[in-house]
Amino acid sequence: MKILVFDLIGKAAHFRKFYTNSSSLSYYFPPKTTLAGLIAGILGFERDSYYEYFGDKAKIGVKLVTPVRKKINTVNYLMIKKGESKNLSYFRGLRNRTLVPVEFVFPKSTENLIYRVYFSHEDESLNEKLKERLKNKKFVYPPYLGITELLANINYIGEFEVDQITEYKLEVSTVLKTEFFKKILKLDNIQRDRVPESFGKDREIKKISDYVFSPDGINISIEKSENANFYFLKEEDEIISFL
């Protein structure tokens, strides 16, 4: 199987947790739904038109390249009530504001936040279109890290062959679904979170899964489950899995 590999680079990120209300909490890493939306935007898919196309047909993995931390900042939003959106004067910030705590993800010690993305689609023509846009940095819609205010740069790494792994004790570099392993062999700052995996019609959450990851960007030592699939990327000398 061939996969496309590219880096998402930015100063900060916000990947809103689906169960938060008044305070906008963030995941440490972009969920599969977020990455599917980002790739769909690069290719020019319209909003809410790509959910079925990027479900089971797409394989998407993500790795934290840089160690990350979180910080809550208060954001000053415009207060525009229902039915007022047609009046452009309300968008000038002259009316009341609303203050909302928002949790952001920042790099721990480096200048930029970097996530490495691994992608493959069963439609080979889509892979080719995405590869050309990544190589030439020609995106239909600009990439961003969760919200439009946090624009991202993309660094295309390449297209590589991956081989399926048959061993059971592995050092995995990507964010990892809990059903893919029997146990974790080393508990080095490993965290767990519940994250949306796919959307259905009308942006309704179709599936939620549990994942483990290291905010420090270190590999996760596991004993894999019998039916789980892992892949070896020779060029980067790493073992990856998909979300």
Side-chain angles (χ1 to χ4, degrees), residues 32 51-59 121-122 197-198 206-207:
K32 182 179 180 180
Y51 300 140
E52 293 296 327
Y53 209 72
F54 284 87
D56 296 334
K57 298 177 181 179
K59 295 184 183 297
H121 198 282
E122 65 179 36
E197 185 177 339
S198 61
K206 193 174 179 181
K207 185 178 180 181

Side-chain angles (χ1 to χ4, degrees), residues 28 64 67-68 108 170-174 181 183-192 212-222:
Y28 274 104
L64 285 77
V68 295
K108 262 188 180 179
L170 306 173
E171 293 266 346
V172 183
S173 64
T174 51
F181 61 86
K183 61 181 178 180
I184 297 177
L185 302 177
K186 293 180 183 178
L187 294 174
D188 296 327
N189 192 20
I190 304 299
Q191 297 195 26
R192 177 174 177 166
V212 295
F213 61 95
S214 168
D216 292 329
I218 62 176
N219 291 346
I220 304 174
S221 300
I222 59 145

Side-chain angles (χ1 to χ4, degrees), residues 126-144:
L126 185 144
N127 287 327
E128 286 300 315
K129 290 176 184 176
L130 178 60
K131 180 170 71 171
E132 289 306 309
R133 290 198 174 275
L134 291 172
K135 286 172 66 176
N136 298 309
K137 295 186 181 294
K138 291 186 177 179
F139 315 131
V140 179
Y141 297 105
Y144 50 87

